[in-house]
Amino acid sequence: MSTVVADKRPGSLQGARLPKWFPYALAGGSVALGVGISFAAGLDSSVQWGLIAAILFVVGTYVIATRVEGKRQAKDRIATSLVWVAFLLAVVPLVSLVWTTVARGVKVLDVYFLTHSMGVVANSEPGGGIYHAIIGSLEQVGLATAMGAPIGVLTAIYLVEYGRGKLAKAVTFFVDVMTGIPSIVAGLFILSIMLQFDMQPFGFAGSLALAILMMPVVVRSTEEMLKLVPNELREASLALGIPKWRTILKVVLPTALGGITTGIMLAVARIAGETAPVLLLVFGNPFINNNPFEGAQASLPLYIYQQYANSGGAEASYDRAWAASLTLIAFVMILNLGARGIARWKAPKTGR
């Protein structure tokens, strides 16, 4: 192993320091040594290679930094190394998931696939598409957002701007409880109401369950964003004689608009991939149904589940499931990019 030369200026009070390229060189050496150890031990998994390289990187950083810079600086470097390792451990599975989805989803993803429904095509047969599932997902998620987002934002405004006493505490408690409710419970709740009125599966029922899942996420994120708005802005507006409701509408909400929009998009991303409530309440439909208030309807998460569960081992069904997964990821990504653009456009302009 090559000797690391420490930077130390003559006559300087600063102690010895490792060069700037040291972390990169150590990372490359750790990867090479990790791969070598894995080959020698007969390990085939790339995950095992990565874990060995990460351990070697952290241990090597501490040992070399302790000898050259001292224990105090070594502790700082070890903390930085752990942060980078944790970051890579979080990013690598995400990149692997996206790569696998794209690689397998592009096989059948074309204009025909996006503009046709399954119709009379069996799950084991090639052909068909996801047009009916796209329509169902857009309508169900759109209706859920139209119901859940305003209620969530108004609830957060009440808790931050008006909420005092036992009622505010009770609302906060129930919001915390609703945040951890499993999606199947929300579906069963709406299903129990449908059974009481002898109702058949339809798209709007799924929207109701999705709205229940969406509201606590919107409340929590909006509440935190409103708390970040400086009180000085509220006080300046009120000092000019502007009513409180107008201060909230014209000062507080525009200031927190970016964070509120991001929170709503996170909630939309959560409900867009829910399968359990849709399976119970919407039931699925291979044909196109543009009316969410009548008859069974499809959705992208339910379509993916049905293509995989009822495939019978057919490769065509698996390909359609991966292509639908890629479409769902693209759908959520487009929503997030659009929301960020709107938030930046509507955000208050800052100047000197």
Side-chain angles (χ1 to χ4, degrees):
M1 181 179 292
S2 60
T3 304
V4 178
V5 180
D7 294 333
K8 185 177 180 180
R9 297 179 181 178
S12 175
L13 296 177
Q14 186 177 5
R17 300 277 297 181
L18 291 168
K20 294 182 179 180
W21 49 262
F22 165 73
Y24 306 102
L26 182 60
S30 300
V31 171
L33 188 57
V35 173
I37 294 175
S38 300
F39 272 117
L43 302 178
D44 298 329
S45 175
S46 57
V47 176
Q48 295 171 326
W49 301 354
L51 291 176
I52 293 174
I55 294 173
L56 291 174
F57 176 72
V58 173
V59 173
T61 298
Y62 181 76
V63 172
I64 298 175
T66 301
R67 294 189 60 182
V68 177
E69 299 177 333
K71 289 187 177 181
R72 183 176 181 179
Q73 189 64 24
K75 292 179 180 179
D76 178 74
R77 286 190 176 273
I78 199 70
T80 305
S81 301
L82 290 174
V83 169
W84 277 105
V85 169
F87 169 74
L88 292 176
L89 289 177
V91 169
V92 168
L94 176 62
V95 173
S96 176
L97 174 64
V98 173
W99 174 261
T100 303
T101 305
V102 172
R104 301 196 61 173
V106 296
K107 291 182 180 180
V108 296
L109 186 60
D110 52 19
V111 177
Y112 178 88
F113 183 74
L114 296 174
T115 56
H116 287 74
S117 66
M118 289 301 293
V120 296
V121 179
N123 290 330
S124 59
E125 298 177 355
I130 57 171
Y131 180 76
H132 60 303
I134 293 176
I135 295 297
S137 285
L138 289 176
E139 292 180 347
Q140 293 162 28
V141 173
L143 290 171
T145 305
M147 293 182 290
I151 295 175
V153 172
L154 292 175
T155 302
I157 292 174
Y158 165 75
L159 292 175
V160 176
E161 304 293 339
Y162 297 98
R164 300 292 184 274
K166 295 182 178 180
L167 180 58
K169 293 180 179 178
V171 173
T172 302
F173 172 75
F174 283 111
V175 168
D176 291 337
V177 172
M178 289 179 63
T179 304
I181 289 180
S183 59
I184 190 66
V185 175
L188 289 173
F189 172 71
I190 301 299
L191 180 62
S192 63
I193 298 176
M194 293 174 59
L195 293 177
Q196 289 180 357
F197 292 94
D198 195 22
M199 302 173 67
Q200 298 298 319
F202 62 109
F204 184 68
S207 299
L208 292 174
L210 296 179
I212 293 175
L213 298 172
M214 181 181 189
M215 282 187 287
V217 179
V218 176
V219 172
R220 271 288 159 258
S221 59
T222 304
E223 186 179 1
E224 295 302 321
M225 290 301 105
L226 293 177
K227 289 179 180 178
L228 293 177
V229 177
N231 285 328
E232 288 78 5
L233 295 178
R234 298 180 176 89
E235 294 170 356
S237 178
L238 295 174
L240 295 174
I242 299 175
K244 188 171 184 178
W245 69 269
R246 194 171 182 85
T247 298
I248 296 172
L249 186 63
K250 295 294 185 179
V251 177
V252 177
L253 288 179
T255 304
L257 181 62
I260 294 173
T261 305
T262 302
I264 293 175
M265 288 302 102
L266 289 175
V268 171
R270 184 203 172 184
I271 65 174
E274 290 291 347
T275 306
V278 178
L279 180 62
L280 287 174
L281 306 172
V282 181
F283 205 66
N285 188 352
F287 296 94
I288 298 173
N289 180 11
N290 294 322
N291 186 3
F293 299 98
E294 183 179 357
Q297 200 175 35
S299 71
L300 283 173
L302 183 58
Y303 177 89
I304 296 169
Y305 168 75
Q306 290 175 337
Q307 288 298 312
Y308 180 81
N310 303 323
S311 63
E315 189 67 23
S317 185
Y318 289 146
D319 291 340
R320 286 193 294 264
W322 281 107
S325 301
L326 180 58
T327 305
L328 184 59
I329 292 176
F331 168 67
V332 175
M333 185 181 298
I334 292 172
L335 280 179
N336 277 275
L337 292 176
R340 288 179 180 273
I342 294 174
R344 180 171 295 185
W345 174 45
K346 290 294 184 180
K349 302 297 185 292
T350 58
R352 296 183 179 179

